[in-house]
Amino acid sequence: MNLDLFAPDDIPLLDVPLGPRAVVLRGLALPYVEALLPDLDRIFTAAPPRHMVTPGGFRMSVALTNCGALGWTTDRRGYRYSDTDPQTGQCWPALPDTFLSLARSAADAAGFSDFQPDACLINRYVPGAGVSLHQDKNERNFDAPIVSVSMGIPAVFLFGGLQRSDRAQRVLLQHGDVAVWGGPDRLRYHAVSPLKDATHPLFGAARINLTFRQAG
Ligand code: MD3
Ligand code: FE
């Protein structure tokens, strides 16, 4: 057995098909990361990541922002997509071409041609931050896939089924990994375990996740 293929706690690091239309494409984003950093920086300046509150009143441990025509937000009144940043009343920053070409080549590689995202949710995690089990169901069109790009320190991703109680698979998502989900896997429950302490040469003690959706 090649032990290099396994993380210390036996999480496989190979390309794993997680479902009929769900796959992790290991390292697919690596050639794109350097070129998108200046765009990411501009977005963080115009619309800084912030901790939002769920309808239940919990402050999210993840800080988030958006780029694109629509941005995902939450507050006491609910989850929704909005064409403006509630913090400034301004449009979200545009979806940069560097982001778009990465999202489209990942969708193509997973067999989803003609992916046209209008929303990119940007999550920033620090050690200890995570996201509890949920479905992504605020988008108008469930026919389009979701493309998720992981950068910075690693995270354990939990990939469940269509019922909250379904057993979840664990997948380690590392810098440069891209996950694509669509079709029958589009509404599967998923979560991110609280991150362990770590440091990444480009991102420091942080994980940045870009999630591209067709929301409108
Ligand atoms: C699996 N973010 O923002 S993205 C989210 O790593 C979110 O920041 C996680 O879940 C993160 O909503 C995971 C990957 C993802 C997105 C949508 C999915 C996985 C999915 C929909 C169905 C199944
Ligand atoms: Fe999600």
Side-chain angles (χ1 to χ4, degrees):
M1 176 165 44
N2 181 356
L3 293 174
D4 288 347
L5 299 176
F6 294 85
D9 38 2
D10 274 9
I11 299 170
L13 293 180
L14 294 172
D15 266 28
V16 194
L18 294 173
R21 301 301 309 272
V23 67
V24 178
L25 304 164
R26 299 287 183 199
L28 184 139
L30 289 175
Y32 296 83
V33 171
E34 219 183 280
L36 63 74
L37 284 179
D39 289 322
L40 187 63
D41 234 46
R42 269 192 288 279
I43 293 164
F44 281 2
T45 300
R50 76 296 302 261
H51 297 277
M52 292 185 178
V53 174
T54 66
F58 295 102
R59 174 186 185 270
M60 295 179 72
S61 62
V62 166
L64 68 89
T65 185
N66 294 275
C67 62
L70 293 170
W72 185 87
T73 66
T74 177
D75 59 21
R76 287 310 297 249
R77 291 176 300 152
Y79 306 120
R80 64 191 161 278
Y81 279 93
S82 166
D83 55 9
T84 54
D85 179 346
Q87 209 155 273
T88 61
Q90 303 289 114
C91 291
W92 296 104
L95 193 65
D97 288 340
T98 53
F99 285 33
L100 198 57
S101 59
L102 167 53
R104 290 180 60 97
S105 49
D108 278 341
F112 296 95
S113 57
D114 209 38
F115 181 45
Q116 275 163 331
D118 55 11
C120 176
L121 169 60
I122 306 173
N123 291 316
R124 189 180 65 197
Y125 298 73
V126 294
V131 172
S132 61
L133 201 66
H134 68 278
Q135 293 171 295
D136 289 13
K137 53 181 186 187
N138 299 122
E139 299 75 25
R140 192 162 289 163
N141 177 8
F142 296 147
D143 294 337
I146 292 182
V147 171
S148 152
V149 177
S150 293
M151 297 181 289
I153 66 175
V156 174
F157 182 63
L158 303 176
F159 192 65
L162 294 174
Q163 316 259 16
R164 181 175 283 278
S165 57
D166 289 344
R167 193 186 158 78
Q169 305 173 62
R170 287 154 43 94
V171 190
L172 187 69
L173 293 180
Q174 294 183 299
H175 180 72
D177 290 346
V178 182
V180 184
W181 339 83
D185 297 314
R186 175 62 181 74
L187 289 173
R188 286 172 68 162
Y189 277 90
H190 55 282
V192 177
S193 297
L195 268 63
K196 293 184 188 167
D197 272 314
T199 311
H200 186 272
L202 282 178
F203 292 88
R207 170 175 186 263
I208 305 291
N209 179 264
L210 312 177
T211 309
F212 297 90
R213 298 111 186 267
Q214 204 166 291

